[in-house]
Amino acid sequence: VPREEVADEASARWRAWYARWDRFQESYVPDREAQFGLMLDYVALWWRNGAVRALDLASGPGCVADRLLRRLPDAEVAAVDCDPWLLEMGRRALADAGRVEWVDADLREEGWTRRLPHPAYEAVLTTTALHWLSGDEVKRTYRALAEVVVPDGLFLNADIMPTGSPTVGGLARSALERWRAQRAAGPDGEHWQTFWGGAGQVPEFRDLLAERARRLGPRRPLRPLSLEFHRDALLEAGFREVGEIWRRHETAILLAIR
Ligand SMILES: C[S@@+](CC[C@H](N)C(=O)[O-])C[C@H]1O[C@@H](n2cnc3c(N)ncnc32)[C@H](O)[C@@H]1O
């Protein structure tokens, strides 16, 4: 088999897995594509010339970076994650992969911002990720971000951020769980078990997935931190304003201005 054909097959495989990643995430995150669009609306409205330097934080395969470069072709973006398999997926599958600076860094490590290609960013965006960090780790992350976001710069976090009284909050959690169950059972549903099980069957992925497991260890999702926790931590870290810009059930987007 000619070498180019083998390379084409490998590229097609990575692109197919990137598409599958989106389907998998869409099964857990309501209106995921609309959330990306909304976050970029705010970035585009605030930085009107569009020539922003942006960070896709805990990027996975660079889902925010991908949409950002399409929407704002003059932007520059760095994608930060500690999962070697997802970073490789981004490098191999994104249309604009060559325009993304891929940064292998763990947000839990002191000094991770020193690995960034630039000292300052106009916008930092993160989706479905910070729930992996403890409260102290989130606070430390926000303090580190306050150092790299320029004055007037934006931080946008889309994630589970409960709010409201116990009963109202409980209803929002149940509503999200019901939405996920319906979505998973539907034709476009992809359960996390079938996704990770399927990836584990691909010989080409074996080494990167083993490295991923070694780095991340056995993890349990932590109890989600409230909207108020995130808001207070951002203000304490040095952001001057914080507000929710979107919500569906427990899923919300928080915007902070440095
Ligand atoms: C559910 S995925 C979301 C990825 C992407 N933002 C998206 O919306 O598709 C969560 C991501 O957070 C990353 N992550 C979790 N803990 C991390 C840490 N301590 N440092 C860097 N990345 C981390 C994971 O590797 C994973 O890529």
Side-chain angles (χ1 to χ4, degrees), residues 18 21-22 32 36 56 59-68 127:
Y18 178 60
W21 171 266
D22 273 342
R32 179 167 177 266
F36 288 134
D56 179 356
S59 59
C63 300
V64 169
D66 189 9
R67 277 104 180 146
L68 185 110
T127 58

Side-chain angles (χ1 to χ4, degrees), residues 9-169:
E9 260 177 48
S11 301
R13 190 160 41 246
W14 281 107
R15 283 198 301 271
W17 274 89
Y18 178 60
R20 194 165 167 183
W21 171 266
D22 273 342
R23 265 203 319 282
F24 159 47
Q25 291 297 308
E26 282 161 8
S27 302
Y28 291 88
V29 181
D31 306 322
R32 179 167 177 266
E33 206 55 50
Q35 290 192 48
F36 288 134
L38 199 81
M39 293 167 94
L40 294 176
D41 284 345
Y42 281 78
V43 174
L45 202 58
W46 187 253
W47 296 113
R48 283 182 185 267
N49 76 6
V52 296
R53 196 165 263 164
L55 207 58
D56 179 356
L57 195 71
S59 59
C63 300
V64 169
D66 189 9
R67 277 104 180 146
L68 185 110
L69 289 175
R70 280 178 225 224
R71 173 81 179 264
L72 304 172
D74 294 330
E76 276 178 44
V77 63
V80 181
D81 205 282
C82 64
D83 180 332
W85 181 64
L86 289 175
L87 285 170
E88 184 64 10
M89 183 188 289
R91 288 188 198 101
R92 304 284 288 264
L94 249 61
D96 274 329
R99 293 192 50 211
V100 179
E101 307 215 50
W102 300 96
V103 181
D104 185 344
D106 189 324
L107 303 179
R108 294 167 300 185
E109 269 171 26
E110 204 62 56
W112 63 269
T113 53
R114 285 197 291 274
R115 298 201 191 193
L116 297 175
H118 296 287
Y121 290 84
E122 276 83 38
V124 175
L125 295 85
T126 183
T127 58
T128 325
L130 298 189
H131 63 270
W132 286 110
L133 303 180
S134 70
D136 283 344
E137 288 165 345
V138 166
K139 285 186 179 179
R140 240 184 293 136
T141 303
Y142 287 167
R143 283 198 291 270
L145 287 179
E147 301 285 314
V148 297
V149 175
V150 299
D152 287 335
L154 303 182
F155 169 70
L156 285 140
N157 177 25
D159 205 355
I160 302 267
M161 285 180 270
T163 190
S165 66
T167 310
V168 176

